[in-house]
């Protein structure tokens, strides 16, 4: 999946914590490419990181209507968890664990899903595979942060 310049800028702004600018970029990208699930996945990520969990949940659902993937399901599951819907989040994480990874991000999502239920052997296996397959230094750095947040420390 190729990203356009607005999606890339949105990702950079989000990494810098400049969420208003990131939202403007991704919202324009949605106007230009309304059927690209990457736009809604990015929107879910931006909303999640800016603690707008209900909006993150809605954006992840919009993305999933366009394309099924473990990584998009992970955004939905984490948003459900943050909005206090623990049972729905657990069901979503269980669903993710049964999915076949297609893209590098899917490996990270499946690793996260295993980490949530404290099956760390499987979690590390998928996280390591994600790090091998991902070409993005930002994505790899994100996994290290995720590992610290979810598991307490990277390995």
């Amino acid at each position: 999946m190729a990203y356009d310049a607005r999606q890339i800028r949105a990702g950079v702004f989000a990494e810098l914590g400049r969420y208003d600018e990131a939202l403007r970029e991704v919202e324009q990208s949605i106007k230009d490419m309304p059927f690209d699930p990457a736009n809604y996945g990015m929107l879910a990520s931006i909303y999640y990181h800016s603690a707008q969990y209900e909006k993150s949940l809605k954006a992840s659902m919009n993305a999933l209507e366009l394309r099924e993937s473990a990584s998009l399901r992970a955004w939905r599951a984490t948003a459900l968890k943050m909005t206090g819907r623990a049972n729905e989040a657990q069901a979503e994480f269980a669903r993710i664990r049964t999915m076949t990874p297609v893209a590098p991000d899917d490996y990270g999502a499946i690793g996260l899903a295993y980490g949530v239920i404290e099956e760390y052997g499987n979690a590390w296996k998928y996280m390591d595979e994600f790090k091998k397959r991902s070409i993005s230094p930002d994505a790899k750095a994100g996994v290290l942060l995720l590992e610290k947040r979810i598991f307490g420390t990277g390995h």
Side-chain angles (χ1 to χ4, degrees), residues 88-124:
E88 289 176 79
Q90 288 299 329
E92 196 67 61
F93 281 123
R95 182 176 183 176
I96 292 166
R97 290 190 302 275
T98 67
M99 297 178 80
T100 301
V102 177
D105 288 353
D106 292 341
Y107 287 90
I110 294 169
L112 168 66
Y114 276 110
V116 166
I117 61 165
E118 299 181 0
E119 286 187 24
Y120 297 120
N122 283 323
W124 294 132

Side-chain angles (χ1 to χ4, degrees), residues 31 46 53 77 86 93 101 108 110-111 123 134:
K31 287 179 185 173
I46 292 165
Y53 304 119
F93 281 123
I110 294 169
S134 178

Side-chain angles (χ1 to χ4, degrees), residues 3 23 27 37 41 52 57 71-72 74-75 80 84 105-106 109 112 128:
Y3 290 97
L23 283 172
E27 286 168 352
Q52 297 180 62
L57 184 57
S71 59
L72 294 172
W75 284 117
L80 285 166
D105 288 353
D106 292 341
L112 168 66
D128 286 342

Side-chain angles (χ1 to χ4, degrees), residues 11 13-19 22-23 41-53 55-56 75 78-79 82 142 145-146 149:
F13 286 137
E15 287 294 318
L16 295 172
R18 294 164 55 182
Y19 300 117
L23 283 172
M42 186 170 293
L43 192 59
S45 171
I46 292 165
Y47 283 138
Y48 178 83
H49 290 293
S50 61
Q52 297 180 62
Y53 304 119
K55 288 182 178 181
S56 178
W75 284 117
T78 52
M82 296 307 291
L145 290 173
L146 180 64
R149 185 176 298 161

